[in-house]
């Protein structure tokens, strides 16, 4: 069971306390009505799905409840780092 | 020596006799015996039948590595455990052990015919032969194979035991308490570090238990460890898996070795998080591969040493040793010293350490260098070994009653591999050793490759003058895989070790190839003419040894399997004889039958009571979220499809929530209590999902909004009073709220008091009748309910459950998200276009409602269905077609999502999802059922009071 560092609690906690929440740094467009179908499709469905380093979102669901970002290697399952929502991509 | 029990030596207590039975026959052993040692002492050689060929099998190992002697233990009363290794079963008074995979008896086994038919059962046989025809597989082959090939029987009764579980944290976890593990623990004793020392055996010592010269050291060390306050010792505990971030799972066996299991837990699952892990799991000796290496009495040399020096049992009176490694000589000499007759030492090597040879010569042991065993005589026990010179293929026969194999040692890197540590091939060991760690872990002693058993050679198979394709030389004893199976797999094109493993099933039995993986790899390397390090080892996966389901279930069984959420009024419903149903994690009253009523009768009565008088319903399970803050209205306006900013305090609104892909995910009626405060309701099952979704948007998309979300589901009990007389019932108990229709109309909310406690009183209706949903603090829920219940008696008040609630809402065409929707319906598909704010610039999901496939014609849409025969109630889930005479496969238009008998209307009603449904009004569609087809007309979804006047009563 992986230990995940919550950047808000500043503690490593068991993964049971967390929920995965998809790829990070995909901002909802400010005005979706101006997007073409293709652009909207890209926002809605298209994801990087890399083998290796992945910026992704987690929620400390059974802790502080905050969403945050993480860099995890999808091959080794190791977390490189976690950081607060709103901080630049790491 | 009496029988095979030696007069002295070993750690058994010759003063403590223990009676037990094996296959119904009584035996006697000593305290400290395993089932294997006690039966060997009594001269038993036959312990089981092999998996595929039903060959007679005896003991091969002395511990966890044992592949053959799988035993069932029946303690009575449902305490039945199959597939235990005889070498690890501690005997106790009254132990009732049975052999497996034989019929009618171990000695005369019907399935042994498979052995004679062996050449018809090569690797891949099942895959090749039983593919076709399919019906033969299901009716004939599979049942026959299941009967013939198998392990022990699965228990047939409920397990009466209970199982404990717990977490533990430590600075240092040591797995394995042989000399290396004990040394590591001693080094850490007396420090401040919490240390946990785990061993699977009943006493600490590991390999030292079979080396009397180490016993004084062992006794001192164990005393020191027991006295160290920072060390926790767990014996009879198996570390079965090594998971991420130094998280180790271990099962402690607490009562299986006791004559009386008592009342405590049988096993305990330890979930251990360690800062550092030391693996000291030792090594397992490898068998040698030659014809007849599975005859009972052929066993590992190390096992014979354990039986003799730990248990005081000679595995034979005249024992031959076949060695490819120095350790076989050392074991032979130790046995000779303990008084066991050694018939000969045969070594495949032409040169062996001169000191060992001299010692053997000094004991007059016949020595055959550069010789191999090429056959074993005897079926149920060894009678002699056929040996042969490797060069000239000349040989003879050596009379013996046991034959020991010393094929070298395989470090136990199972947990290391679980931890994803890398491994490297060692030519010295003829095995893979731990290389680079992936966690904070290191291996010590034999499992780390740092202990020396001496020198040896690495062999695939012993040399033989016979055609290898004609002999059965076993690799995987538990799965009956032979050397020629590996040859066949390679010949048929399986060149990856993972493929060879699966095709031959080598290493796939319950022992995960503890004694067979390396031998198979050596052979494959030879056949493929590729070095072993280029082939690689198959992956070890948890568990290290099989574990009971009970240990993993722990306390999570029966009532504790999953939490049952109960409303504050749940107990009242139970007292009234309600029939419950599970809804999400909740237990809800489904209906309240009076004596003699079935569900149909009860629901009809409850429905009519609400329509004509007043019904009372526990709606406490509704999800509730309080949304507070200056931007609360703006936030809800962005989340929901309809406009919220203009909603006045004191008013309610039906809210429809989409995902960003435009599909309905939840709905509910919500109230604005104040300019900056909303009381949201969600579906019973959707509460957590909706809160998560709203938190997501609030935290990550719109962190500038000043809004707080709080789950209040469990803070408020909700009593729904519905029906024309609802106002009459509550009026006497309400304070501070004008209940007149003018002052408190439909879809309004008021705060005040009821029965002397605070209430958020909603005037809302999920039934189409005049109604209230009375929110009171949960602790007062049942008290308020009972007051209203008593007062309602004069008005004929009737409690109703979820089934009646469903019928009443369907009569009004109100959907249930998750029943009438399936995650592919937009508001337009669901007939809820009115709930979409046309003028809103944006809301979650709005852009998707303009996607080409969402605006396309022919989408599935919700409609009403009325069967031509009013007495016909459709099955929910039934498929719908336009042309009942179309040949199969028919074009399916959709399915029935809700269907009920409506007592109010005196006929059946249904809601269905139908392609292009809203354009099919008045059309007759067909619902094919087994043996007949039902015709039904497409209608609007509102079946009752289409004008909606009754809610205003
Ligand atoms: Zn946190």
């Amino acid at each position: 069971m992986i230990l995940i560092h919550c950047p808000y609690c500043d503690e490593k906690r068991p993964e049971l306390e967390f929920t995965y929440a998809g790829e990070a740094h995909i901002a909802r467009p400010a005005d979706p009505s101006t997007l073409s179908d293709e652009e909207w499709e890209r926002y809605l469905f298209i994801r990087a799905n890399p083998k290796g380093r992945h910026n992704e979102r987690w929620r400390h669901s059974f802790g502080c409840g905050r969403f945050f970002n993480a860099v995890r290697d999808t091959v080794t399952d190791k977390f490189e780092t976690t950081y607060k929502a709103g901080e630049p991509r790491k | 020596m009496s029988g095979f029990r030696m007069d002295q030596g070993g750690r058994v207590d010759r003063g403590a006799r223990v009676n037990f039975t094996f296959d119904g026959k009584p035996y006697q052993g000593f305290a400290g015996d395993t089932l294997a040692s006690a039966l060997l002492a009594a001269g038993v050689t036959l312990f089981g039948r092999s998996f595929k060929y039903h060959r007679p099998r005896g003991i091969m190992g002395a511990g966890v590595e044992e592949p053959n002697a799988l035993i069932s233990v029946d303690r009575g009363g449902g305490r039945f455990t199959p597939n235990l290794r005889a070498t690890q079963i501690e005997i106790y008074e009254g132990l009732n052990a049975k052999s497996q995979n034989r019929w009618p008896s171990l000695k005369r086994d019907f399935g042994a015919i498979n052995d004679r038919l062996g050449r018809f059962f090569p690797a891949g046989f099942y895959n090749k032969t039983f593919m076709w025809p399919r019906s033969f597989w299901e009716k004939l082959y599979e049942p026959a194979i299941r009967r013939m090939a198998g392990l022990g029987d699965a228990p047939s009764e409920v397990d009466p035991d209970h199982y404990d579980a717990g977490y533990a944290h430590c600075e240092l976890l040591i797995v394995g308490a042989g000399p290396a593990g004990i040394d590591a623990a001693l080094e850490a004793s007396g420090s401040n570090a919490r240390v946990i020392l785990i061993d699977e055996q009943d006493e600490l010592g590991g390999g030292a238990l079979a080396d009397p010269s180490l016993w004084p050291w062992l006794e001192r060390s164990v005393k020191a460890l027991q006295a160290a306050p920072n060390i926790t010792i767990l014996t009879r505990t198996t570390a079965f898996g090594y998971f991420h971030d130094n998280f180790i799972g271990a099962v402690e066996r607490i009562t299986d070795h006791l004559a009386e299991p008592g009342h405590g837990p049988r096993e305990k699952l330890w979930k251990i998080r360690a800062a550092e892990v030391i693996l000291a799991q030792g090594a397992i000796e490898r068998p040698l591969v030659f014809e007849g290496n599975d005859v009972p009495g052929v066993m590992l040399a190390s096992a014979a040493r354990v039986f003799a020096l730990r248990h005081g049992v000679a595995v034979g009176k005249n024992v031959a040793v076949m060695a490819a490694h120095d350790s076989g000589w050392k074991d032979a000499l130790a046995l000779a010293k303990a008084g066991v007759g050694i018939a000969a030492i045969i070594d495949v090597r032409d040169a062996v350490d001169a000191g060992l040879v001299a010692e053997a010569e000094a004991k007059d042991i016949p020595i055959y260098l550069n010789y191999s065993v090429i056959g074993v005589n005897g079926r149920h026990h060894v009678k002699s070994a056929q040996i042969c010179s490797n060069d000239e293929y000349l040989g003879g026969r050596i009379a013996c009653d046991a034959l020991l194999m010393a094929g070298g040692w395989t470090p136990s890197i199972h947990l290391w591999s679980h931890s994803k540590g890398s491994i490297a091939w060692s030519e010295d060991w003829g095995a893979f050793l731990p290389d680079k760690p992936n966690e904070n872990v290191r291996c010590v002693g034999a499992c780390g490759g740092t202990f020396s058993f001496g020198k040896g050679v690495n062999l695939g198979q012993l040399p033989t003058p016979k055609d290898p394709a004609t002999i059965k030389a076993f690799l995987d004893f538990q799965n009956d895989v032979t050397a020629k199976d590996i040859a066949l797999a390679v010949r048929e094109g399986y060149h990856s070790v993972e493929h060879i493993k699966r095709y031959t099933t080598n290493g796939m039995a319950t022992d995960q190839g503890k004694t067979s993986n390396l031998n198979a790899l050596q052979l494959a390397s030879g056949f493929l003419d590729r070095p072993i390090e280029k082939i690689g080892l198959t992956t070890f996966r948890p568990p290290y040894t099989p574990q009971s389901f009970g240990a993993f279930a722990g306390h999570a069984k029966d009532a504790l399997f999953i939490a049952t959420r109960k409303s504050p009024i749940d107990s009242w419903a139970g007292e009234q004889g309600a029939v419950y149903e599970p809804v999400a994690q909740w237990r809800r009253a489904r209906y309240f039958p009076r004596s003699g009523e079935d569900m149909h009768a009860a629901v009809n009565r409850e429905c009519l009571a609400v329509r004509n008088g007043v019904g009372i319903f526990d709606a406490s399970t509704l999800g509730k979220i309080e949304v507070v803050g200056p931007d609360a209205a703006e936030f809800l306006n962005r989340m929901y499809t309809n406009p919220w900013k203009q909603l006045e305090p004191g008013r309610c609104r039906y809210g429809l929530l989409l995902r960003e892909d435009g599909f309905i995910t939840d709905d509910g009626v919500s109230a604005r209590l104040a300019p900056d405060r909303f009381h949201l309701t969600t579906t019973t099952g959707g509460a957590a999902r909706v809160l998560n979704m709203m938190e997501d948007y609030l935290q990550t998309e719109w962190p500038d909004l000043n809004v707080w979300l709080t789950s209040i589901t469990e803070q408020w009990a909700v009593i729904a009073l519905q029906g024309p007389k609802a106002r009459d019932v509550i009026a006497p108990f309400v304070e501070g709220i004008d209940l007149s229709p003018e002052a408190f109309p439909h879809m309004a909310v008021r705060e005040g008091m009821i029965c002397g406690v605070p209430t958020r009183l909603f005037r809302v209706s999920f039934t189409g009748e005049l109604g209230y949903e009375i929110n009171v603090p949960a602790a007062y829920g049942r008290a308020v309910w009972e007051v209203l219940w008593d007062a309602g008696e004069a008005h004929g008040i009737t409690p109703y459950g979820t089934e009646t609630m469903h019928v009443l809402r369907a009569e009004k065409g109100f959907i249930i998200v998750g029943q009438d929707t399936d995650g592919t319906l937009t508001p337009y598909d669901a007939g809820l276009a009115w709930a979409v704010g046309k003028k809103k610039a944006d809301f979650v999901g709005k852009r998707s409602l303009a996607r080409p496939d969402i605006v396309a014609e022919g989408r599935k849409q919700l409609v009403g269905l009325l069967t031509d025969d009013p007495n016909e109630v459709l099955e929910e889930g039934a498929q719908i077609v336009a042309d009942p005479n179309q040949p199969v496969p028919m074009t399916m238009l959709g399915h029935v999502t809700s269907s009920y008998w409506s007592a109010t209307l005196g006929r059946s009603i249904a809601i269905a999802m139908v392609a292009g449904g809203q354009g099919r009004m008045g059309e007759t569609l067909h619902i094919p059922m087994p043996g007949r087809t039902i015709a039904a007309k497409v209608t609007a979804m509102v079946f009752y009071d289409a004008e909606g006047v009754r809610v205003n009563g």
Side-chain angles (χ1 to χ4, degrees):
Chain A
M1 188 167 35
I2 303 173
L3 291 173
I4 300 174
H5 178 260
C6 172
Y8 293 96
C9 297
D10 198 17
E11 267 191 59
K12 272 192 162 188
R13 309 287 303 171
E15 63 179 286
L16 287 177
E17 295 183 12
F18 298 84
T19 323
Y20 180 69
E23 189 174 344
H25 301 294
I26 298 175
R28 187 175 192 272
D31 185 359
S33 68
T34 62
L35 267 59
S36 69
D37 284 340
E38 289 69 33
E39 288 167 330
W40 184 246
E41 176 200 71
R42 216 171 301 138
Y43 159 69
L44 211 49
F45 301 121
I46 307 303
R47 296 295 180 264
N49 196 25
K51 180 179 180 182
R53 214 170 171 275
H54 189 224
N55 288 77
E56 60 194 24
R57 305 188 323 137
W58 286 80
R59 185 181 184 207
H60 196 185
S61 310
F62 305 100
C64 63
R66 302 297 298 264
F67 285 85
F68 59 89
N69 294 328
V71 181
R72 183 180 58 100
D73 190 307
T74 59
V75 177
T76 63
D77 226 2
K78 285 213 186 274
F79 279 77
E80 181 183 307
T81 187
T82 57
Y83 52 104
K84 292 178 180 173
E87 288 181 14
R89 176 186 288 270
K90 286 193 178 169
Chain B
M1 211 149 49
S2 71
F4 291 84
R5 179 74 69 179
M6 296 152 77
D7 296 332
Q8 53 185 4
R11 299 173 73 83
V12 294
D13 181 355
R14 287 179 173 73
R17 294 180 184 277
V18 177
N19 296 291
F20 66 97
T21 62
F22 178 59
D23 282 341
K25 199 176 157 197
Y27 292 92
Q28 205 170 55
F30 296 133
D33 263 327
T34 63
L35 180 66
S37 67
L39 288 174
L40 285 170
V44 173
T45 56
L46 189 56
F47 282 76
R49 290 273 172 176
S50 73
F51 184 73
K52 193 157 94 177
Y53 302 121
H54 285 245
R55 284 166 72 99
R57 288 282 166 82
I59 297 285
M60 188 175 92
V64 67
E65 72 279 11
E66 174 57 38
N68 290 332
L70 297 185
I71 300 293
S72 299
V73 171
D74 190 350
R75 309 196 72 162
R79 289 189 167 93
F80 178 85
T81 312
N83 305 329
L84 295 167
R85 291 164 295 279
T87 52
Q88 292 191 303
I89 298 170
E90 297 173 48
I91 60 166
Y92 52 81
E93 188 68 26
L95 168 70
N96 176 16
K98 289 176 182 140
S99 60
Q100 302 178 166
N101 198 27
R102 79 294 190 267
W103 183 84
S105 76
L106 190 51
K107 271 225 158 119
R108 315 178 128 270
D109 173 45
F110 180 73
I113 188 81
N114 283 4
D115 193 23
R116 309 268 163 76
L117 301 175
R119 65 196 170 89
F120 299 115
F121 282 86
F125 169 72
Y126 296 127
N127 317 40
K128 287 171 185 162
T129 313
F130 295 128
M131 296 266 285
W132 189 90
R134 194 185 152 82
S135 61
F136 273 42
W137 171 255
E138 284 163 359
K139 295 203 174 70
L140 191 65
Y141 299 144
E142 196 193 348
I145 292 168
R146 278 189 188 282
R147 219 171 19 245
M148 294 289 285
L151 299 163
D153 297 326
S156 57
E157 291 172 64
V158 173
D159 183 349
D161 275 312
H162 69 276
Y163 297 80
D164 198 3
Y167 286 93
H169 298 83
C170 61
E171 277 66 47
L172 176 61
L173 170 68
I174 302 165
V175 179
I182 287 175
D183 278 345
L186 285 172
E187 206 174 300
S189 72
S191 71
N192 290 325
R194 291 165 296 176
V195 178
I196 298 177
L197 176 62
I198 284 183
D199 195 272
E200 65 186 343
Q201 302 208 58
D202 57 315
E203 59 174 329
L204 302 184
L209 296 170
D211 188 345
S213 71
L214 291 175
W215 289 355
W217 165 84
L218 181 59
E219 196 174 331
R220 278 197 312 276
S221 303
V222 170
K223 270 195 186 136
L225 293 176
Q226 284 165 341
N230 66 323
I231 296 181
T232 304
I233 298 171
L234 296 174
T235 52
R236 297 189 179 92
T237 303
T238 301
F240 63 81
Y242 195 134
F243 306 93
H244 283 292
D245 288 331
N246 273 2
F247 188 72
I248 281 83
V251 171
E252 180 183 8
R253 291 169 296 279
I254 300 170
T255 62
D256 272 5
H257 64 289
L258 302 174
E260 290 297 329
H263 301 291
R266 179 187 176 210
E267 293 179 349
K268 177 172 179 175
L269 176 65
W270 289 84
K271 294 176 266 191
I272 305 170
R273 182 82 66 176
E276 187 191 0
V277 175
I278 291 178
L279 298 176
Q281 296 185 277
I284 292 171
E285 194 170 32
R286 286 198 288 278
L288 288 161
V289 183
F290 56 91
E291 183 171 23
N293 63 349
D294 69 326
V295 173
V298 182
M299 64 171 67
L300 297 174
S302 55
R305 172 201 271 265
V306 170
F307 288 122
L309 301 183
R310 181 175 175 188
H311 300 294
V313 175
V315 300
K317 291 174 179 165
N318 190 29
V319 179
V321 180
M322 175 68 232
H325 196 280
D326 292 352
S327 68
W329 292 70
K330 294 175 186 168
D331 289 337
L333 293 167
L335 290 173
K337 190 178 163 200
V340 179
I342 302 296
I345 299 176
I346 306 116
D347 200 307
V348 69
R349 300 171 290 179
D350 54 10
V352 176
D353 178 82
L356 291 172
V357 174
E359 268 192 77
E361 280 172 345
K363 291 197 185 301
D364 288 331
I365 298 174
I367 296 170
Y368 298 87
L369 295 184
N370 198 26
Y371 268 72
S372 299
V373 172
I374 59 162
V376 177
N377 304 101
R379 183 156 178 85
H380 290 165
H381 58 91
V382 173
K383 289 175 178 159
S384 67
Q386 247 174 296
I387 66 167
C388 180
S389 146
N390 295 339
D391 298 332
E392 300 163 72
Y393 288 142
L394 293 170
R397 190 171 280 214
I398 294 175
C400 56
D401 56 0
L403 174 61
L404 309 186
M405 303 179 283
W409 292 81
T410 308
S412 292
I413 55 170
H414 303 75
L415 263 62
W416 171 269
S417 296
H418 296 174
S419 80
K420 310 275 197 305
S422 69
I423 54 176
W425 177 253
S426 160
E427 199 59 41
D428 276 357
W429 281 79
F432 286 96
L433 295 180
D435 190 18
K436 294 189 182 61
N438 184 51
E439 303 273 5
N440 188 12
V441 56
R442 62 197 164 97
C443 294
V444 299
C447 89
T450 58
F451 179 85
S452 176
F453 290 92
K455 283 187 167 23
V457 291
N458 307 320
L459 289 175
Q461 193 168 357
L462 286 183
T464 174
K466 297 187 186 171
D467 175 359
T470 64
I471 62 172
K472 275 203 191 101
F474 285 87
L475 294 169
D476 185 326
F477 291 69
Q478 201 169 94
N479 262 358
D480 264 356
V481 181
T482 62
K484 65 184 180 190
D485 291 329
I486 303 288
L488 181 70
V490 170
R491 211 161 56 234
E492 294 194 351
Y494 295 92
H495 293 175
S496 146
V497 64
E498 296 286 353
H499 291 160
I500 292 171
K501 163 179 164 174
R502 280 158 184 80
Y503 191 59
T504 62
T505 72
N506 193 88
M508 290 176 69
T510 68
D511 64 350
Q512 274 196 64
K514 287 186 176 64
T515 52
S516 65
N517 280 343
L518 261 296
N519 281 341
L521 206 51
Q522 299 266 18
L523 272 173
S525 164
F527 294 135
L528 288 165
D529 199 19
R530 220 180 333 150
I532 283 190
E533 56 268 40
K534 291 266 158 53
I535 299 177
L537 198 59
T538 54
T539 313
F540 289 112
R541 293 198 174 82
Y544 172 65
T545 51
Q547 302 299 331
S548 71
F549 283 108
F552 290 107
H555 300 292
K557 60 173 189 172
D558 304 328
L560 298 180
F561 178 64
I562 191 164
T564 301
R565 300 176 76 182
K566 296 173 190 168
S567 88
I569 298 152
D570 174 87
S571 55
W572 186 90
E575 290 159 23
Q576 298 290 318
V579 174
Y580 291 112
E581 70 166 340
V583 180
Q585 282 191 338
W586 294 92
R587 177 172 94 162
R588 302 192 69 180
R590 191 175 186 194
Y591 57 99
F592 291 82
R594 289 183 183 162
S595 70
E597 276 184 339
D598 60 7
M599 183 172 88
H600 187 65
V603 169
N604 287 347
R605 176 179 49 72
E606 292 172 15
C607 284
L608 292 172
V610 174
R611 293 271 179 243
N612 300 323
V614 59
I616 186 167
F617 174 70
D618 179 8
S620 304
T621 65
L622 272 179
K624 304 173 216 50
I625 300 169
E626 193 144 318
V627 183
V628 183
D631 297 321
E634 171 65 25
F635 174 67
L636 294 180
N637 206 51
R638 295 185 193 184
M639 293 302 303
Y640 283 105
T641 58
N642 34 6
W644 288 80
K645 286 200 210 163
Q646 266 65 54
L647 186 69
E648 284 173 22
R651 299 293 302 179
C652 301
R653 177 153 290 171
Y654 173 77
L656 191 59
L657 189 67
L658 310 185
R659 298 188 312 233
E660 206 64 90
D661 59 13
F663 297 129
I664 296 168
T665 187
D666 205 78
D667 69 348
V669 169
S670 301
R672 188 169 199 170
L673 300 169
D676 63 348
R677 186 176 296 265
F678 290 81
H679 177 123
L680 260 53
T681 70
T682 72
T683 57
T684 292
R689 187 179 67 238
V690 171
L691 183 61
N692 184 70
M693 177 177 168
M694 289 187 168
E695 280 287 349
D696 194 351
Y697 279 91
L698 197 53
Q699 290 182 31
T700 66
E701 299 294 355
W702 307 315
D704 52 310
L705 293 184
N706 190 351
V707 179
W708 290 90
L709 305 174
T710 309
S711 167
I712 51 168
T713 301
E714 287 167 346
Q715 269 54 52
W716 297 97
V718 185
I719 301 164
L721 267 192
Q722 300 279 311
K725 294 180 184 166
R727 187 185 292 110
D728 301 339
V729 174
I730 68 164
F733 305 104
V734 175
E735 293 168 64
I737 301 172
D738 181 351
L739 292 178
S740 68
E742 302 73 35
F744 190 21
H746 180 53
M747 292 299 269
V749 65
R750 298 287 181 268
E751 291 181 271
M753 305 286 277
I754 188 165
C755 306
V757 304
T759 181
R760 289 177 177 177
L761 187 60
F762 286 61
R763 185 163 165 203
V764 291
S765 171
F766 199 42
T767 61
E769 300 298 328
L770 162 70
Y772 300 91
E773 289 184 1
I774 306 157
N775 286 257
V776 292
Y780 297 113
R782 182 166 170 164
V784 172
W785 175 285
E786 288 189 43
V787 170
L788 297 176
W789 169 249
D790 288 343
E793 242 185 318
H795 304 278
I797 195 168
T798 300
Y800 67 98
T802 51
E803 193 64 26
T804 291
M805 178 267 282
H806 276 119
V807 177
L808 296 172
R809 64 89 199 175
E811 287 171 348
K812 289 293 297 173
F814 297 146
I815 63 163
I816 301 251
V817 172
Q819 175 171 342
D820 299 301
T821 72
D822 62 356
T824 68
L825 289 196
T826 68
Y828 305 118
D829 300 335
L832 295 170
W834 59 267
V836 180
K838 306 287 180 302
K839 294 189 196 129
K840 287 175 70 173
D842 192 17
F843 55 80
V844 172
K846 178 178 168 67
R847 175 64 185 82
S848 287
L849 296 180
R851 277 165 51 202
D853 49 327
I854 299 296
V855 297
E857 294 289 304
R859 290 185 58 80
K860 285 186 181 170
Q861 296 168 326
L862 290 183
V863 292
L865 274 188
L866 288 175
T867 48
D868 288 0
D869 175 357
N871 291 315
E872 185 80 66
V873 181
L874 294 170
E875 291 234 15
E876 288 176 356
Q879 295 292 320
I880 299 165
V881 301
D883 175 7
N885 299 316
Q886 188 188 6
V888 174
M890 301 168 94
T891 308
M892 291 184 288
L893 298 177
H895 69 275
V896 178
T897 61
S898 292
S899 176
Y900 308 97
W901 174 258
S902 165
T904 307
L905 300 170
R907 63 153 300 140
S908 69
I909 57 169
I911 299 173
M913 206 186 280
V914 177
Q918 282 154 21
R920 293 181 186 266
M921 289 299 149
E923 206 176 300
T924 296
L925 298 177
H926 302 274
I927 296 92
M929 297 299 289
R932 67 204 179 103
T933 298
I934 303 163
K937 199 162 274 144
V938 179
T939 69
M941 272 167 63
V942 187
F943 301 98
Y944 181 66
D945 184 27
E947 301 76 31
V949 296
R950 296 183 66 89
V951 290
N952 297 320

